[in-house]
Amino acid sequence: MIKSMDVLKMPLKLSEAVYGNLLEKNYNKALSLGNRYSFINSNIFPLLNKEEQDLFMGFQDVCKKLLKEVNVDDAYEILPKLGEHYMLQRMNTYDGVVGSCKRQLLLNMAVNGMAPEVDMAMTASSILVGNSLYHNPDRNDIQEKALKEIYRGTKVGGIGITEPEHGSDAVNMKTTAKIAENGDITYNGTKIYTTNGAVADYFSTYGVTDISNPRRTMMLTLFKRDDPGLSTERLHIPAAHGVGIAKVNYDNITVTKDRMIAPPGEGYKRLFRGLTPERFAITTGTLGGVWHALATGTIYTQLRHQFGKPLFKYQGISHVLSDTYSELSAYTAFAMQIADFYDKKVGEKIHRGETPNAMDEATVAILAAQGKYLTTRMSHRATYEIVQLMGGRGAIDEPGSNNIINRGENISRLMEVLGGHRNIQRMIIEMGLKASTSMAIGSNIKKAKREQGKVEQNITQLVMARAEKMLSEEAQFLPDDEKANLSNAVNKLKAAVETNNKIEMAAYARVLPKVLSKAGKAVYKAKKAQ
């Protein structure tokens, strides 16, 4: 008989398990935000002038004061506090506060160390949505109010570009926009992976009035969360814990004409003009994340002892850090070069309400693509390696701890996708490669094309001769359908040559070898069967 004291207890629920802290006080103190900033400053300050150094230190002071108020489960709670210090963006001059790419770089590097989730959320709101409003020279009172609230952090913005079937191919979007006679705008469609979409107050969204001609009909419109027909669904993305990425539905949602940020056709230009500063902000936030990861790894491995000496004394450890250090320093210098170019050639003109030179915009777009591709590619690899150097402690995310490298590694997984997939950046870089040589070797390229054209023409003539010979000498071995196909291809190609129809010449020059090959197989089978 089982006594009451012997009754088995139910298994303990995971939710009832108590968390403990593994990071000792000495490690936690050494990894403080202030110490990480000190490490970064010693490497960044030589690249900055006195004004920029002071600005960077000011950003750091605010972040150190606000650190305890950060809620990693909700990146948005701290935004109004940052907004009070004009620290949600410093790319654009606004409200008497000077903006530039260099200032934005320093801001991202400071905030990322405080909380990478906050850096991601504020960049999506104040740079992506903020720029779409800021770059509108004709913004009205409604748009100005939205811009001010976003920059001050009292409201959050999310930008609507990506769609379920149109990620990298953002231009050919299917979200439709209709403009009524009175100017009212109606949207129908779905956007996904909208950063901040789960909580956003404002949505800066692209749509097209003609899906068959998106470039000339793309427009940009401002929506509010309480607009009838707008609904959001948060997406579960573990790597972005604390950031509300969402699917946003636009179901026959109608707004007044004063919500139009860019008219049809202008939206396409605005989309690509906005991608360059977006990619630059992603680059600088990524650099900030790696600098803080490197600081964490460098500090930790000098404190942690194994086999009687610090981990840093082992080359298997220090060489990994040294490689990251060298690569990161080079990319940081490159990012500052991009910032200077953008500020002088593009940003200053935008701030004055002028249109930048097209060549300058193209150049900085390629530079931004290079920067984003290189830094984001390096980021996940570098943070992962540093996590490994720290063993089990690198994988732990302890509430209130200064060891945030695990959270930084999670965020780094997304950076190659945000702002254009890495393969899109490669395509842009490829265009830069071609453009950089086209002027110098233009005549050589034309000559090579002419020579290649002659070779292809000779090949085509040989194929035609072989086809005609088969039709005359081996016709008895050809099935009727194969004979008809071959005869048709030869005649079509001849007609294209006689009329100098280059399009059909090229098409049938590709088709004829395939038809001839198939006919040749039929002749071979027929001869073998005899």
Side-chain angles (χ1 to χ4, degrees):
M1 182 177 180
I2 301 176
K3 298 181 180 179
S4 59
M5 66 178 62
D6 294 325
V7 175
L8 295 175
K9 295 182 179 179
M10 293 296 291
L12 183 69
K13 294 181 179 180
L14 183 60
S15 59
E16 297 173 351
V18 179
Y19 279 111
N21 289 328
L22 186 64
L23 194 69
E24 296 87 340
K25 290 182 179 179
N26 186 42
Y27 288 111
N28 200 40
K29 184 177 180 180
L31 291 171
S32 69
L33 183 57
N35 282 348
R36 285 185 273 124
Y37 282 147
S38 179
F39 172 85
I40 295 171
N41 291 345
S42 65
N43 289 281
I44 298 298
F45 270 29
L47 304 176
L48 307 176
N49 60 36
K50 183 61 168 61
E51 179 189 354
E52 292 164 346
Q53 292 175 1
D54 292 341
L55 181 68
F56 195 25
M57 290 289 288
F59 291 155
Q60 294 173 15
D61 289 340
V62 172
C63 288
K64 285 187 286 187
K65 291 176 183 177
L66 295 178
L67 180 61
K68 291 184 178 180
E69 299 183 47
V70 172
N71 179 1
V72 297
D73 295 320
D74 186 347
Y76 306 94
E77 291 182 3
I78 201 69
L79 296 191
K81 294 288 184 68
L82 288 170
E84 291 175 6
H85 298 276
Y86 295 92
M87 282 179 58
L88 291 175
Q89 75 88 30
R90 284 297 179 93
M91 184 168 286
N92 300 316
T93 298
Y94 187 79
D95 213 11
V97 179
V98 179
S100 68
C101 264
K102 180 71 76 64
R103 291 175 172 83
Q104 183 65 37
L105 181 151
L106 299 175
L107 176 62
N108 284 127
M109 293 187 73
V111 174
N112 195 285
M114 179 183 72
E117 305 87 351
V118 173
D119 183 46
M120 180 179 175
M122 78 176 198
T123 297
S125 181
S126 59
I127 299 298
L128 275 68
V129 181
N131 280 7
S132 70
L133 292 163
Y134 185 86
H135 289 171
N136 179 18
D138 303 316
R139 61 180 179 270
N140 51 42
D141 291 343
I142 291 175
Q143 296 169 22
E144 184 64 35
K145 179 176 181 290
L147 182 62
K148 183 177 287 291
E149 290 175 332
I150 286 171
Y151 278 177
R152 296 308 299 270
T154 57
K155 300 291 185 181
V156 177
I159 198 159
I161 301 176
T162 305
E163 297 180 354
E165 298 300 326
H166 292 276
S168 296
D169 184 17
V171 172
N172 293 301
M173 57 183 61
K174 293 295 184 284
T175 295
T176 59
K178 292 184 179 179
I179 304 177
E181 291 185 4
N182 65 354
D184 285 356
I185 305 161
T186 302
Y187 268 42
N188 277 286
T190 299
K191 302 292 184 179
I192 57 169
Y193 305 126
T194 300
T195 304
N196 301 338
V199 299
D201 303 284
Y202 292 108
F203 298 83
S204 181
T205 308
Y206 289 90
V208 294
T209 59
D210 182 358
I211 61 174
S212 68
N213 190 13
R215 286 171 174 79
R216 293 189 178 182
T217 67
M218 187 180 296
M219 62 183 297
L220 181 61
T221 307
L222 182 68
F223 296 95
K224 297 180 181 179
R225 174 164 290 277
D226 57 1
D227 289 334
L230 189 148
S231 62
T232 63
E233 305 167 45
R234 186 177 183 185
L235 303 176
H236 182 64
I237 301 180
H241 183 66
V243 181
I245 301 174
K247 171 184 175 184
V248 185
N249 301 301
Y250 299 82
D251 185 10
N252 208 38
I253 175 173
T254 300
V255 296
T256 52
K257 61 183 179 181
D258 50 16
R259 300 279 199 91
M260 183 187 292
I261 303 174
E266 181 63 25
Y268 175 77
K269 300 176 184 176
R270 203 73 61 79
L271 172 65
F272 282 92
R273 177 168 291 172
L275 287 174
T276 295
E278 174 188 354
R279 287 165 180 162
F280 180 78
I282 293 171
T283 297
T284 57
T286 299
L287 288 172
V290 183
W291 273 113
H292 282 277
L294 179 61
T296 299
T298 303
I299 292 170
Y300 181 85
T301 56
Q302 291 182 79
L303 300 180
R304 173 70 166 166
H305 283 66
Q306 289 289 282
F307 305 105
K309 60 181 180 180
L311 292 177
F312 193 82
K313 290 291 185 179
Y314 296 99
Q315 290 184 345
I317 301 294
S318 61
H319 284 185
V320 172
L321 296 170
S322 298
D323 286 347
T324 300
Y325 185 34
S326 301
E327 198 172 1
L328 180 57
S329 297
Y331 291 164
T332 302
F334 181 41
M336 290 190 178
Q337 179 186 8
I338 299 172
D340 287 337
F341 187 97
Y342 183 90
D343 292 337
K344 293 175 182 177
K345 301 285 189 175
V346 178
E348 289 182 3
K349 290 189 176 183
I350 292 176
H351 294 165
R352 294 195 299 265
E354 302 174 6
T355 301
N357 178 274
M359 183 67 74
D360 291 337
E361 284 200 285
T363 299
V364 80
I366 293 167
L367 291 173
Q370 291 173 335
K372 179 184 179 297
Y373 171 70
L374 291 171
T375 55
T376 57
R377 187 183 182 194
M378 177 264 294
S379 173
H380 181 55
R381 168 173 48 82
T383 51
Y384 172 80
E385 290 296 339
I386 294 171
V387 164
Q388 296 305 305
L389 297 184
M390 296 177 65
R393 284 181 177 84
I396 294 175
D397 177 17
E398 296 174 337
S401 167
N402 285 316
N403 180 27
I404 66 168
I405 189 170
N406 179 263
R407 287 159 43 205
E409 184 202 0
N410 285 339
I411 291 290
S412 73
R413 300 176 193 177
L414 303 177
M415 295 300 104
E416 285 192 289
V417 177
L418 297 177
H421 192 275
R422 67 181 179 188
N423 287 333
I424 293 296
Q425 309 313 310
R426 284 170 167 164
M427 290 171 64
I428 296 171
I429 295 166
E430 178 186 314
M431 288 189 288
L433 275 174
K434 186 176 181 180
S436 299
T437 56
S438 61
M439 292 181 65
I441 63 169
S443 61
N444 303 84
I445 292 173
K446 289 179 181 178
K447 184 178 180 180
K449 284 184 177 179
R450 287 196 300 269
E451 292 177 351
Q452 181 61 25
K454 291 178 181 178
V455 171
E456 291 175 354
Q457 187 177 5
N458 290 335
I459 293 173
T460 300
Q461 289 175 350
L462 291 171
V463 172
M464 283 184 63
R466 173 75 182 103
E468 289 176 333
K469 183 178 180 181
M470 182 177 291
L471 286 170
S472 63
E473 298 180 5
E474 300 176 310
Q476 68 272 26
F477 299 108
L478 279 171
D480 292 341
D481 57 339
E482 297 294 349
K483 185 187 299 183
N485 290 337
L486 185 59
S487 179
N488 181 61
V490 170
N491 292 333
K492 290 286 188 181
L493 183 54
K494 281 184 176 180
V497 171
E498 291 174 358
T499 58
N500 198 29
N501 188 325
K502 294 182 179 180
I503 294 176
E504 289 198 359
M505 283 170 61
Y508 284 105
R510 290 192 297 269
V511 168
L512 183 57
K514 297 177 182 178
V515 176
L516 180 60
S517 175
K518 193 174 180 182
K521 292 178 181 178
V523 169
Y524 174 78
K525 287 182 180 179
K527 287 182 177 180
K528 190 177 180 180
Q530 285 186 339

